[in-house]
Amino acid sequence: MKVLKFGGTSVGSSKNINNVISILEKYAKKDSVVCVVSAVGGITDKLLLAGKQAQNKDTNYIDTFALIKDIHFNIINELNPNKSNAIIDYVDEQLSDLKNLLDGIYLINELSPKTSDKLVSFGELLSSFIIAETMKSRGLSTERKNSQELMITNSNFTKAEVNYSVTNKNIQDYFKTASQEITILPGFVSKSLTGEQTTLGRGGSDFTAAIVAAALKVKQLEIWTDVSGMFTTNPKLVKQAYPIDKISYQEAMELSHFGAKVLYPPTVQPVLDLQIPIHIKNTLEPEAVGTIISNDKTNSTSPVKGISNISNIALLTLQGSGMIGIPGFSKRLFETLSQEKINIIMITQASSEHSICLGIDEKEADIAKTAIDTAFENEIALHKIDPIIVETNLSIIALVGDNMKNHQGISGKMFSALGKNNINIRAIAQGASEKNISAVIAENDVKKALNTLHEQFFEAKTKQLNVFITGVGNVGEKLVEQIKQQRKYLKENLKINLRITGLSNSRKMIFDEEGIDLKNWKDLLANGETATLDGFFENTKALNLRNSIFVDVTANKDVAGLYANYLRESIGVVACNKIACSSDFENYKLLKRLSLKYNAPYLFETNVGAGLPIIDTLNNLIASGDKVKSIHAVLSGSLNFVFNNFNDTTKFYDIVKQAGAEGYTEPDPRIDLSGVDVARKILILARESGMEMNLEDIKNTPFLSESGLKSDTVDDFYETLIADEAHYQSLFASAKANKSQLKYVAALNNGKASVSLQEIPEGHPFYNLKGSDNIVMFYTERYPEQPMIIKGAGAGADVTASGLFADIIRIGNN
Ligand code: ADP
Ligand code: ASP
Ligand code: MG
């Protein structure tokens, strides 16, 4: 004999019921079958809703009733085109009883637990009858037995306790004489010894099946549901979750106790002693292997088996200096809750006994508070303890695994992964058996926490990065294209799952939690919502995704002003925008501090030398204990362009114009030609070398003519270039006479930084610098004579985008 249970979705439509029937038909060819069914999916909730509406004098209960009726008749019509009278008679009768009950609740506006049980029982009674009669009408040897005649409980309505001796005997007696091949039983429903209708608790059909399986000592219990087994974590919240092949009873119990709804927690009890394995299968995908719950130890290599969560938790904290050493204190606390029938989900107590923390269902928080404050009235009046503190909007997440006790550092990994993602932990509990480690966190963080932990323990090798890019001009567009092109490579080779989850230009912004489709991102963005800087930040924050990175591809001061906000949310910042790093020292320091405090990387490699690994190299030198003595560098692509092309056959004005046209200078060329841009870069290198410095501290010897320096507008400035051609020619002539090349050089020496145009003689590493190339020479304690030199293209959209990309990958590799 086999016992199978089909859940709400499995019997939620005529199509699924047909699936169920064909599965049963196949099984019945080999052996007799007992099939426990739930109510049609969603019906239990609707019955309760109708009951609540009637109780509240809300006449909508009539509509809800009509909906319940429609759902059942639609299924009947689809299943039995030439409806059997037995079904119609029974369903009509039941529905009329149901309607009477609801009218009664409406009249007296009261819905007691006892009435509630009567009400919800209709769901399973109807579904089991419809399925059984359909099967009979198709010639299958089937009987439906009302489980209320078998399952006997106490009168603890809505979650009654089973009287096993009576129940087991009833089941055994019934099946001793039953001659049909297939028996359909309604799950969840039962009766008390005094004959009142009771139920086994929400989700209790699983339990019914387990009780029957144990009473009949069958070889296996099968729970058929809408997912392909017990998953590593809730598949509705974590896309990467996958079914667990084999799991122990204890692990399954812990996971279900901590919220894995796929199995009703008490289900394991009846079958555990008899070692009857539970097989979880998917009605919608019968070929999938599913999960076997048993004591078979062969498959328990990984220490963490699953991660689960329970929502709507309230945390009660009782504390006070008077608690220390009072015997029986905890006993009184637990007794108080037990008298109120409040279930304690989690307990933690500080070793000083100064406080005790309990996790309970949020719905019961008010009752718990009143009861505890009353029970400890005297101690509170004497200030020995404080009135109980209640916090809500919390959730418990739990790691579960029999083998965790044999592995060191699992809780360390768990908490550091959560910490890195700015998930605040309110309380922690670890069972003495070390089969679970649980933590209380904000409800709002649950999805992020589950995904983070799943990645940590089940996808150890892949890391998801969620990138939010602001600014998709020249460089930004290149970055998006590079990401699009490299995604597959990163996944396969670096195990980085890089997704762009937010995009914005100055007009529009878009977000997609699942990653923006990069095939047509431009169209998507064009149709996005109106962009604001705050809106972009708020949306990024609200998505609350793990490993989030904000990428600033603008040159905008206001965007730079928001980095602190991002870092405080543990969102990493990658910027090619130089403004923040070259702003006043206090702000630079603050961003560095926030980055450390909130575990959020702040990277800006492209601030100096575009894609060249200048800052990263400098950081590595310092991290490994080296000290910078001096830096000599040519850091301006624009000035290189100008001085590489300017000579006695060209005009300075023409060259500067050309540089502008080809995108080598800022729209305002004075920022480049005045040396400010280079000053910012050497300032950043000085700061990264550990020096406290501001822009004013950098000695800037201008090469522009006096009128050029004083010009008020860009147009005026260009005018001065024409007027002062002789001044610029004299610079060239002097260099030529000295057999030198003009280069704009930044230097850092003895803690002092300067920028100036210099004549570079032949043989000097700067002499042959071509095009927009940059070069940096680091003289350090380890490189005292021969400097460490980094040289290459130091400007251009492509290389800048790849520098940003490299920063993103650096975060991914960390
Ligand atoms: P049924 O109606 O068949 O009893 P339930 O809705 O009670 O089905 O349980 C199945 C649901 O449990 C799944 O659809 C899934 O959303 C949820 N669930 C939560 N945690 C897990 C988990 N770890 N593995 C599988 N399912 C889970
Ligand atoms: N129908 C009941 C519920 O929804 C029992 C079950 O489906 O297991 O809770
Ligand atoms: Mg269920």
Side-chain angles (χ1 to χ4, degrees):
M1 185 175 275
K2 275 231 156 96
V3 177
L4 283 72
K5 176 257 169 175
F6 290 90
T9 314
S10 307
V11 298
S13 64
S14 58
K15 180 169 165 265
N16 289 353
I17 292 177
N18 280 326
N19 268 352
V20 170
I21 295 177
S22 64
I23 292 167
L24 292 174
E25 209 177 338
K26 221 185 286 160
Y27 274 62
K29 289 205 177 99
K30 295 189 203 131
D31 201 353
S32 56
V33 183
V34 183
C35 168
V36 176
V37 293
S38 286
V40 168
I43 289 297
T44 311
D45 286 337
K46 291 192 176 65
L47 287 165
L48 285 171
L49 172 67
K52 277 265 170 288
Q53 287 169 329
Q55 180 193 22
N56 295 334
K57 289 277 178 200
D58 172 357
T59 49
N60 280 322
Y61 82 89
I62 297 172
D63 292 342
T64 309
F65 168 78
L67 180 61
I68 293 170
K69 185 173 167 179
D70 280 355
I71 291 174
H72 285 97
F73 273 106
N74 280 342
I75 290 179
I76 295 168
N77 288 335
E78 286 169 17
L79 281 175
N80 302 280
N82 40 355
K83 294 168 225 168
S84 96
N85 280 340
I87 296 191
I88 303 295
D89 293 350
Y90 180 83
V91 173
D92 272 342
E93 189 189 318
Q94 291 290 314
L95 288 173
S96 115
D97 288 354
L98 169 60
K99 180 70 180 14
N100 288 338
L101 181 62
L102 288 169
D103 291 341
I105 297 169
Y106 180 79
L107 274 179
I108 58 168
N109 56 329
E110 189 186 297
L111 177 60
S112 66
K114 182 166 145 182
T115 310
S116 174
D117 267 357
K118 203 177 283 178
L119 181 66
V120 288
S121 297
F122 282 104
E124 268 71 5
L125 293 177
L126 284 166
S127 65
S128 57
F129 196 88
I130 294 169
I131 293 168
E133 286 302 314
T134 305
M135 292 175 69
K136 275 193 211 169
S137 74
R138 294 185 189 174
L140 296 165
S141 159
T142 310
E143 285 303 327
R144 182 263 214 169
K145 173 74 180 166
N146 186 345
S147 319
Q148 291 171 321
E149 294 159 23
L150 305 174
M151 300 283 156
I152 305 302
T153 67
N154 66 7
S155 297
N156 196 354
F157 295 104
T158 74
K159 200 172 180 180
E161 280 141 45
V162 177
N163 181 327
Y164 280 100
S165 55
V166 183
T167 300
N168 285 346
K169 184 163 184 310
N170 286 346
I171 296 169
Q172 285 152 3
D173 288 350
Y174 173 74
F175 283 100
K176 224 175 266 165
T177 55
S179 58
Q180 68 275 12
E181 283 170 9
I182 303 168
T183 308
I184 307 286
L185 297 176
F188 179 54
V189 297
S190 46
K191 266 194 184 156
S192 71
L193 274 170
T194 50
E196 307 281 3
Q197 298 192 41
T198 55
T199 63
L200 303 179
R202 290 304 307 270
S205 293
D206 297 346
F207 194 26
T208 306
I211 295 166
V212 175
L216 298 176
K217 297 197 170 58
V218 298
K219 290 224 165 54
Q220 182 161 302
L221 164 64
E222 295 186 6
I223 306 265
W224 290 74
T225 181
D226 59 354
V227 284
S228 298
M230 197 155 207
F231 278 57
T232 45
T233 190
N234 188 341
K236 297 237 162 85
L237 297 179
V238 178
K239 278 249 158 65
Q240 283 81 358
Y242 53 86
I244 306 165
D245 296 349
K246 291 184 178 178
I247 187 167
S248 76
Y249 290 116
Q250 276 74 19
E251 288 167 330
M253 255 193 291
E254 292 284 343
L255 279 175
S256 64
H257 177 72
F258 280 100
K261 186 183 169 220
V262 63
L263 193 69
Y264 182 55
T267 307
V268 173
Q269 288 156 19
V271 295
L272 178 63
D273 281 347
L274 298 169
Q275 304 262 317
I276 300 171
I278 306 175
H279 194 172
I280 300 185
K281 298 270 294 171
N282 188 349
T283 312
L284 315 174
E285 212 187 312
E287 330 68 54
V289 284
T291 300
I292 303 261
I293 305 172
S294 72
N295 261 352
D296 176 5
K297 293 256 187 302
T298 51
N299 205 32
S300 45
T301 44
S302 64
V304 181
K305 262 309 177 48
I307 310 165
S308 56
N309 72 292
I310 319 180
S311 296
N312 305 320
I313 293 291
L315 197 64
L316 309 179
T317 307
L318 194 59
Q319 58 187 24
S321 52
M323 270 170 65
I324 302 168
I326 300 182
F329 181 86
S330 313
K331 178 167 172 267
R332 274 171 64 202
L333 178 61
F334 295 140
E335 267 171 9
T336 308
L337 291 173
S338 150
Q339 272 156 16
E340 299 293 334
K341 296 213 167 73
I342 292 172
N343 182 29
I344 301 169
I345 303 169
M346 188 181 125
I347 307 168
T348 64
Q349 180 164 27
S351 55
S352 67
E353 295 184 30
H354 186 72
S355 77
I356 184 163
C357 252
L358 303 175
I360 63 168
D361 186 336
E362 201 173 76
K363 284 202 289 293
E364 299 174 318
D366 289 342
I367 303 172
K369 175 160 173 61
T370 313
I372 298 168
D373 283 347
T374 311
F376 291 95
E377 211 166 20
N378 286 338
E379 287 87 346
I380 293 172
L382 294 171
H383 299 292
K384 282 186 173 173
I385 62 170
D386 307 330
I388 194 141
I389 303 165
V390 180
E391 290 163 83
T392 53
N393 274 329
L394 298 171
S395 202
I396 297 179
I397 46 169
L399 288 192
V400 169
D402 286 344
N403 257 341
M404 293 200 309
K405 58 179 177 297
N406 303 323
H407 286 76
Q408 310 253 295
I410 291 187
S411 49
K413 263 195 200 165
M414 172 178 181
F415 299 126
S416 83
L418 294 175
K420 271 190 190 152
N421 277 285
N422 201 23
I423 296 162
N424 189 23
I425 297 164
R426 287 289 305 107
I428 296 169
Q430 178 165 13
S433 63
E434 286 187 45
K435 285 188 200 308
N436 90 63
I437 308 170
S438 37
V440 178
I441 61 171
E443 187 76 55
N444 191 25
D445 282 331
V446 168
K447 192 168 178 193
K448 178 157 87 169
L450 290 179
N451 278 283
T452 302
L453 294 176
H454 196 266
E455 189 169 83
Q456 175 75 41
F457 292 103
F458 294 96
E459 312 155 38
K461 289 173 210 85
T462 57
K463 184 167 184 179
Q464 185 184 93
L465 298 184
N466 295 297
V467 173
F468 298 82
I469 301 176
T470 286
V472 279
N474 236 345
V475 176
E477 183 174 338
K478 286 263 160 36
L479 176 63
V480 175
E481 292 302 327
Q482 288 178 7
I483 291 176
K484 179 170 142 194
Q485 188 196 320
Q486 284 306 98
R487 269 175 52 89
K488 191 158 168 268
Y489 175 88
L490 292 178
K491 209 172 212 165
E492 285 166 6
N493 295 282
L494 297 182
K495 303 282 181 207
I496 290 176
N497 178 14
L498 178 57
R499 309 159 350 136
I500 300 181
T501 29
L503 260 185
S504 172
N505 55 25
S506 53
R507 279 154 283 122
K508 298 280 184 185
M509 59 183 188
I510 46 169
F511 298 89
D512 188 339
E513 191 175 352
E514 303 304 333
I516 292 166
D517 181 0
L518 296 183
K519 274 195 220 90
N520 55 343
W521 65 271
K522 283 189 185 163
D523 290 342
L524 293 172
L525 183 59
N527 293 311
E529 55 185 300
T530 304
T532 62
L533 298 183
D534 287 333
F536 197 76
F537 167 68
E538 290 302 335
N539 273 300
T540 302
K541 178 177 152 190
L543 278 176
N544 202 11
L545 298 173
R546 67 190 186 284
N547 307 320
S548 290
I549 305 170
F550 171 66
V551 185
D552 177 7
V553 203
T554 71
N556 183 308
K557 185 160 164 277
D558 298 331
V559 177
L562 286 172
Y563 296 171
N565 292 7
Y566 282 98
L567 294 170
R568 282 194 186 95
E569 296 301 324
S570 288
I571 297 168
V573 174
V574 168
C576 64
N577 183 347
K578 282 189 270 297
I579 293 175
C581 264
S582 54
S583 61
D584 67 84
F585 187 74
E586 280 316 311
N587 186 49
Y588 164 84
K589 254 321 211 221
L590 170 74
L591 295 177
K592 287 266 165 176
R593 250 198 332 269
L594 293 175
S595 162
L596 271 181
K597 178 168 175 196
Y598 292 97
N599 241 314
Y602 171 36
L603 300 180
F604 39 84
E605 180 62 86
T606 47
N607 281 3
V608 181
L612 295 177
I614 296 172
I615 295 178
D616 191 48
T617 306
L618 177 57
N619 290 157
N620 287 338
L621 286 175
I622 291 169
S624 65
D626 204 352
K627 286 210 169 58
V628 172
K629 297 174 102 174
S630 68
I631 299 174
H632 293 266
V634 174
L635 295 171
S636 169
S638 5
L639 288 171
N640 279 358
F641 180 89
V642 169
F643 288 106
N644 286 341
N645 289 290
F646 175 57
N647 56 41
D648 41 14
T649 68
T650 59
K651 293 236 165 4
F652 196 67
Y653 168 84
D654 293 337
I655 299 297
V656 174
K657 269 282 175 192
Q658 190 190 344
E662 294 188 17
Y664 283 110
T665 61
E666 303 277 335
D668 180 348
R670 290 172 299 178
I671 296 179
D672 296 302
L673 294 165
S674 67
V676 166
D677 187 60
V678 176
R680 282 180 182 162
K681 291 175 181 169
I682 193 71
L683 173 67
I684 294 169
L685 293 184
R687 286 176 171 178
E688 289 292 295
S689 305
M691 291 165 209
E692 184 173 339
M693 199 180 277
N694 277 307
L695 205 56
E696 310 81 79
D697 302 328
I698 294 171
K699 186 162 172 247
N700 185 341
T701 316
F703 68 84
L704 291 174
S705 65
E706 203 140 310
S707 51
L709 283 170
K710 285 192 189 132
S711 61
D712 289 330
T713 66
V714 175
D715 287 342
D716 285 356
F717 176 67
Y718 275 119
E719 289 298 316
T720 70
L721 296 187
I722 298 173
D724 297 334
E725 177 66 20
H727 165 74
Y728 297 105
Q729 283 298 341
S730 74
L731 297 176
F732 178 78
S734 162
K736 190 174 175 188
N738 293 324
K739 295 202 169 55
S740 296
Q741 295 268 2
L742 287 173
K743 300 287 169 199
Y744 198 83
V745 176
L748 177 70
N749 245 328
N750 293 326
K752 296 220 169 354
S754 61
V755 292
S756 60
L757 187 67
Q758 293 184 10
E759 294 179 1
I760 302 293
E762 214 174 332
H764 190 282
F766 294 173
Y767 184 85
N768 279 322
L769 222 50
K770 292 278 175 308
S772 66
D773 277 6
N774 278 199
I775 184 166
V776 180
M777 304 197 295
F778 289 115
Y779 290 91
T780 69
E781 285 181 356
R782 287 188 201 139
Y783 295 88
E785 309 293 336
Q786 289 302 316
M788 152 100 74
I789 297 182
I790 300 163
K791 180 181 163 187
D798 252 327
V799 288
T800 307
S802 71
L804 288 165
F805 202 163
D807 272 347
I808 295 171
I809 303 303
R810 267 181 206 116
I811 296 178
N813 280 335
N814 238 324

